[in-house]
Amino acid sequence: MSTPETVGCSSRVLQTCLPRHRSITTFSRRNSDARPVVRTCVYTPTRSEEQTALKLEAQVVPPANLLNEILAPVKSDMEQMNQNLKNVVGNRHPMLMAAAEQIFGAGGKKLRPVIVFLVAHSTAQREGLTELTDKHRRLAEITEMIHTASLVHDDVLDECDIRRGKKTINSMYGTRVAVLAGDFLFAQSSWFLANLDNLEVIKLISQVIADFANGEISQAASLFDTDITLEQYLDKSFYKTASLIAASCRSAAVFSDSPVEVKEAMYSYGKHLGLAFQVVDDVLDFTQSTEQLGKPQGQDLASGNLTAPAIFALRKSPELLDIISSEFVEEGSLERALELVRETGGIEEARLLARQQADMALAALECLPEGPSRRSLRLMVDYVLERIY
């Protein structure tokens, strides 16, 4: 897989640094497949772009304010969406009203619809639209509904009582209500999707639901598989995390009547941002405390789910291979495995992988006009990486 030159921008700094020559992704179609084939080429910034980048590089954004900076251009959009989502569930089915408040109420960053709105605003600006369409707004709702439905069902399968510090639906209202709530969200999102009356978007978002299943099956089939490759890991991560972000970003560009190259660039942004997000999450499983994670440290590794840090470490440590192959039967073997991942540089290599994916996401934004939404899309990349530094 081709990756661009890693940009040496500091975390917490606006991610607009442009090297003299920078690799960016370009695209072509493969038959009738809606997904682009990704290639790389060299982009040389103009003098004015370099000067703008140097000015913006100096604008340090404190971590505490980073998310507020990102949300600023779409704050009113998100407020409207949140109320609409609660009404969708509660008004149709009163028995799910309490669950709707728990699912869509206060808490949760809802980053996926934020990204949809930012791409929508930025591509609309590019195409000369003065405001978002109703289809843009419905797309954001669909994206959050699909994501939330997948989380509700995941919590049932994993028997989780807490997610990000909040009680899960199944722990509060039982498995029956949780399954029904998840099923309803999937069904309602499919109905909303059909009513968008756009075949390209219907195909894109429908594929996401199939990708969720592919990701879960791939993960279950590769537990404790020490032969798993980095490419297989990235495929699984795409199915589970990046597919929805990529498809919704491209769909937002579709509803702005963007040309093919812009739609494909937005797909690339979502894909690589999603992959960076997943790699960062997997790094945190090794670096954060149980209190920070809300679950035991190294839980993925303990369950046999081998992620980027472990995959990189396995290349250098026969001892780690033996421990994982034994499925941690000996007392203290998990703790030793976590030590080996750190000692062999697995975490550092995974951080570099996240940085490479982030750089490809940034490169895909070059086609967008300067403005608050494009700035927030850049800052979103910084926000994702911020957690591992």
Side-chain angles (χ1 to χ4, degrees), residues 170-199:
N170 54 298
S171 70
M172 293 182 68
Y173 306 106
T175 298
R176 179 181 176 83
V177 171
V179 170
L180 287 173
D183 287 348
F184 175 77
L185 289 172
F186 273 129
Q188 189 65 50
S189 65
S190 297
W191 174 248
F192 283 166
L193 180 61
N195 280 278
L196 290 176
D197 199 26
N198 185 292
L199 187 58

Side-chain angles (χ1 to χ4, degrees), residues 89-346:
V89 178
N91 291 350
R92 288 284 300 275
H93 295 286
M95 70 169 285
L96 296 179
M97 178 62 82
E101 183 62 36
Q102 181 68 7
I103 295 170
F104 296 122
K109 300 179 182 70
K110 298 183 176 67
L111 294 182
R112 287 156 185 81
V114 168
I115 294 168
V116 170
F117 280 128
L118 290 172
V119 171
H121 278 288
S122 202
T123 53
Q125 177 189 347
R126 185 186 187 279
E127 308 311 326
L129 302 180
T130 57
E131 56 185 42
L132 300 189
T133 67
D134 290 340
K135 291 184 177 182
H136 282 126
R137 299 187 185 283
R138 184 64 86 191
L139 174 65
E141 293 170 9
I142 291 169
T143 300
E144 183 63 11
M145 290 169 73
I146 291 174
H147 173 62
T148 302
S150 71
L151 295 184
V152 172
H153 280 176
D154 281 351
D155 289 339
V156 172
L157 291 173
D158 299 338
E159 299 180 346
C160 289
D161 294 330
I162 300 291
R163 176 179 286 276
R164 298 185 179 92
K166 292 176 60 179
K167 287 188 176 181
T168 57
I169 300 301
N170 54 298
S171 70
M172 293 182 68
Y173 306 106
T175 298
R176 179 181 176 83
V177 171
V179 170
L180 287 173
D183 287 348
F184 175 77
L185 289 172
F186 273 129
Q188 189 65 50
S189 65
S190 297
W191 174 248
F192 283 166
L193 180 61
N195 280 278
L196 290 176
D197 199 26
N198 185 292
L199 187 58
E200 181 179 0
V201 172
I202 290 171
K203 287 182 175 180
L204 281 164
I205 304 299
S206 296
Q207 182 62 48
V208 169
I209 299 175
D211 285 345
F212 281 156
N214 286 334
E216 290 297 333
I217 293 168
S218 297
Q219 181 169 303
S222 61
L223 295 179
F224 296 103
D225 180 7
T226 55
D227 292 324
I228 186 173
T229 65
L230 187 62
E231 183 178 5
Q232 290 171 323
Y233 161 77
L234 289 173
D235 284 345
K236 177 185 68 176
S237 299
F238 173 80
Y239 292 142
K240 293 188 64 178
T241 303
S243 175
L244 176 59
I245 303 174
S248 59
C249 285
R250 181 178 176 124
S251 297
V254 169
F255 291 135
S256 296
D257 292 326
S258 297
V260 171
E261 62 270 19
V262 174
K263 292 189 289 186
E264 292 180 339
M266 294 304 94
Y267 185 95
S268 180
Y269 172 80
K271 172 185 175 181
H272 294 297
L273 179 69
L275 289 174
F277 188 93
Q278 185 59 57
V279 174
V280 168
D281 257 12
D282 294 337
V283 168
L284 295 180
D285 193 52
F286 290 87
T287 60
Q288 288 194 334
S289 66
T290 298
E291 291 72 22
Q292 289 172 309
L293 289 169
K295 62 179 182 179
Q297 187 186 54
Q299 188 174 58
D300 284 340
L301 185 60
S303 65
N305 179 24
L306 305 186
T307 58
I311 292 169
F312 284 122
L314 278 168
R315 297 175 177 177
K316 302 176 182 178
S317 176
E319 182 184 354
L320 180 62
L321 189 150
D322 290 340
I323 292 174
I324 294 175
S325 298
S326 71
E327 301 187 10
F328 309 108
V329 291
E330 294 185 11
E331 185 177 351
S333 58
L334 176 60
E335 290 73 17
R336 177 57 181 159
L338 293 172
E339 288 178 6
L340 289 169
V341 171
R342 299 185 190 99
E343 292 172 0
T344 56

